[in-house]
Amino acid sequence: MIQTVAAAPLPAAENYIVKKQRLQPEHLSGKERRISIVTGIHGDELEGQYVCYEIQRRIKEQPELLTGIIDIYPALNPLGIDSITRGIPHFDLDMNRIFPGNSEGSMAEYIASKIIRDVQGSDLCIDIHASNIFLREIPQVRINEMCADTLVPFAKRLNVDYIWVHGTATVLEATFAHSLNMIGTPVLVVEMGVGMRVTKEYCKELVDGIFVEMKDLGIWQGDAIEPKKPIISTDGEVHYLNAGYAGVFIPTVEHWTSVKKGNKIGEIIDPLNGVIKEEIFSDCDGILFTLREYPVVSEGSLLGRILERNVK
């Protein structure tokens, strides 16, 4: 059942429309629990599009096993997805910086307020992001330490590789997830893959985890996997690799691999002069969970992140 969540007029007789797909049992008791799957806040992050499809495909194979409500929001920023634009085009605006919105405000603020009102009250919400076009990320959940007690138990069941509990100083209060978490609707923020691409392997692993969550909540009565046990860390255990020079970054290791202190991660080369401008080495033992995907870098560009861990 497709429903309109929010709509606002645009120039040239068009409209900004946010829609959702609601899946529910044929007969409702009024006591059903609800999970919301949200993606498409950033128009260049497409991993969630496949997740939305795959959830529905699996439900349609055994609809009689659905005993709760699933709300799927594939495109909170439909204009961004249509135009391959990260923010809301023509407004020069990052949609994930305007929540909880304002019903009396601008068009974008009005849309944001309607979305918050619609998702509010879910027993769990999964906010799916990809990385940007520059970096590749393993499937992970990022949690504000203020909400860790509530969210970490959910995150452990989501079948991701890594849970990153970060400090409150890095929290952007105008995000979708923070706005809902602060009013009692639990939201897990998932980051995975790379911008403008779909990594089917990552998406299917996340869908497996979403079905685990739904089974835990009593929304799904079918089979579910035993989720993998994620690594859990805090900010202090994450090391950043940044470029000291502009050039072209060529990695010498694979993404999501163990590295030792002193291992070479990659090189920054100068195509004009045919020289290596910088060699990048790990400053700790650990796991490389973020790696530069787009080769061209400027001084200071992020090349990777390493989770400090004892490795063999």
Side-chain angles (χ1 to χ4, degrees):
M1 175 172 43
I2 296 176
Q3 301 176 348
T4 296
V5 175
L10 292 168
E14 294 189 358
N15 290 286
Y16 189 114
I17 302 175
V18 176
K19 296 181 179 181
K20 73 176 180 183
Q21 176 71 271
R22 169 162 284 193
L23 306 176
Q24 62 186 32
E26 184 176 356
H27 302 289
L28 297 176
S29 68
K31 298 180 180 180
E32 286 78 14
R33 306 191 81 180
R34 175 165 64 112
I35 188 170
S36 292
I37 312 300
V38 171
T39 191
I41 289 179
H42 293 132
D44 61 351
E45 298 180 359
L46 303 178
E47 303 281 6
Q49 301 301 300
Y50 190 80
V51 173
C52 293
Y53 157 79
E54 182 66 9
I55 290 172
Q56 295 187 69
R57 185 193 67 80
R58 296 188 192 186
I59 293 292
K60 288 175 182 177
E61 289 182 346
Q62 297 176 296
E64 69 280 2
L65 298 178
L66 182 64
T67 51
I69 297 171
I70 308 171
D71 280 339
I72 298 175
Y73 305 74
L76 294 195
N77 178 10
L79 295 183
I81 290 177
D82 289 346
S83 60
I84 323 175
T85 304
R86 183 170 181 81
I88 302 176
H90 308 300
F91 292 87
D92 192 26
L93 183 65
D94 185 337
M95 189 177 194
N96 212 23
R97 303 293 182 270
I98 59 173
F99 291 100
N102 181 350
S103 61
E104 303 297 325
S106 66
M107 185 274 287
E109 292 175 310
Y110 169 77
I111 294 289
S113 71
K114 295 285 283 186
I115 291 169
I116 290 291
R117 185 178 302 175
D118 201 75
V119 179
Q120 183 178 1
S122 300
D123 293 284
L124 179 63
C125 176
I126 313 293
D127 178 19
I128 305 169
H129 293 260
S131 185
N132 54 39
I133 63 171
F134 302 104
L135 302 167
R136 179 172 291 276
E137 302 278 5
I138 63 164
Q140 60 194 268
V141 176
R142 297 183 181 177
I143 294 174
N144 172 4
E145 64 183 6
M146 293 189 300
C147 305
D149 289 346
T150 299
L151 298 182
V152 168
F154 283 118
K156 287 180 177 179
R157 302 289 289 166
L158 198 55
N159 198 44
V160 296
D161 294 295
Y162 176 39
I163 299 171
W164 185 356
V165 180
H166 54 76
T168 55
T170 63
V171 173
L172 296 172
E173 294 185 358
T175 63
F176 170 81
H178 181 78
S179 298
L180 280 169
N181 278 318
M182 290 300 98
I183 58 175
T185 298
V187 182
L188 297 177
V189 178
V190 175
E191 297 270 357
M192 64 181 186
V194 65
M196 296 190 184
R197 298 291 183 272
V198 171
T199 312
K200 288 179 68 175
E201 176 188 356
Y202 290 171
C203 293
K204 288 182 176 181
E205 288 179 0
L206 179 61
V207 172
D208 286 341
I210 290 172
F211 273 83
V212 172
E213 303 278 13
M214 292 195 299
K215 192 172 181 69
D216 290 349
L217 291 169
I219 293 171
W220 175 249
Q221 300 304 311
D223 294 334
I225 66 162
E226 180 62 32
K228 63 180 76 173
K229 294 182 179 180
I231 299 169
I232 304 175
S233 80
T234 61
D235 281 338
E237 299 171 284
V238 175
H239 295 242
Y240 293 77
L241 302 173
N242 296 92
Y245 296 88
V248 177
F249 175 64
I250 307 296
T252 55
V253 295
E254 296 294 324
H255 184 222
W256 193 225
T257 55
S258 297
V259 296
K260 299 284 286 184
K261 183 176 182 179
N263 284 171
K264 188 174 180 178
I265 304 299
E267 303 169 339
I268 296 176
I269 62 171
D270 179 349
L272 179 61
N273 294 298
V275 298
I276 296 173
K277 299 183 72 174
E278 184 181 14
E279 294 181 304
I280 309 299
F281 298 95
S282 174
D283 64 352
C284 67
D285 293 355
I287 303 171
L288 184 69
F289 72 92
T290 302
L291 185 62
R292 185 83 179 184
E293 179 81 8
Y294 187 74
V296 177
V297 298
S298 302
E299 182 180 348
S301 292
L302 182 62
L303 305 178
R305 298 187 187 95
I306 297 173
L307 173 63
E308 185 174 356
R309 279 291 186 274
N310 291 324
V311 296
K312 296 182 180 179

